[in-house]
Amino acid sequence: MAETEERWPQAREVFDRLRRRSLDQDSPLNEEQALLFTLAELVAKVAHNAAGVRPPFDHDSGWRIGLIAYRLISVTDDPQLQAELTTALGGQPEAA
């Protein structure tokens, strides 16, 4: 959805579905799933705001995307997901 600008107006619906699932206590998410859902929710918020649909989400919704993506890289055992996120982020953060 986020890759196709014409679909950005659907982002509020996508966010709502993601949020309902992430809060479902009958089927709780593990840490990796929770981070993935958080990342997807943030991207949906940014797409919604970029579409100009009202009401907007908080203007700073996208500021956490990088942090959540880096955290997801560190907890996932999926090498493809790690590689895709690392590429999307422009590499791994420097060691402090």
Side-chain angles (χ1 to χ4, degrees):
M1 184 262 327
E3 291 180 334
T4 308
E5 187 173 345
E6 293 79 26
R7 295 186 65 202
W8 292 352
Q10 299 169 0
R12 171 66 73 167
E13 178 186 337
V14 171
F15 171 83
D16 290 341
R17 289 183 9 221
L18 289 162
R19 179 55 60 94
R20 279 192 303 274
R21 172 57 188 100
S22 66
L23 296 176
D24 182 358
Q25 293 301 312
D26 292 331
S27 183
L29 304 173
N30 64 34
E31 181 183 14
E32 180 179 344
Q33 292 168 329
L35 287 169
L36 188 59
F37 270 77
T38 299
L39 181 59
E41 288 174 7
L42 291 170
V43 170
K45 286 180 175 185
V46 171
H48 173 82
N49 287 354
V53 181
R54 297 284 180 214
F57 287 103
D58 297 339
H59 73 282
D60 60 351
S61 294
W63 295 357
R64 292 182 47 226
I65 288 175
L67 175 63
I68 297 298
Y70 282 124
R71 286 182 53 201
L72 183 55
I73 289 169
S74 70
V75 302
T76 187
D77 293 329
D78 182 340
Q80 182 177 351
L81 179 58
Q82 289 173 334
E84 289 175 1
L85 288 172
T86 299
T87 298
L89 293 167
Q92 287 281 8
E94 298 285 327

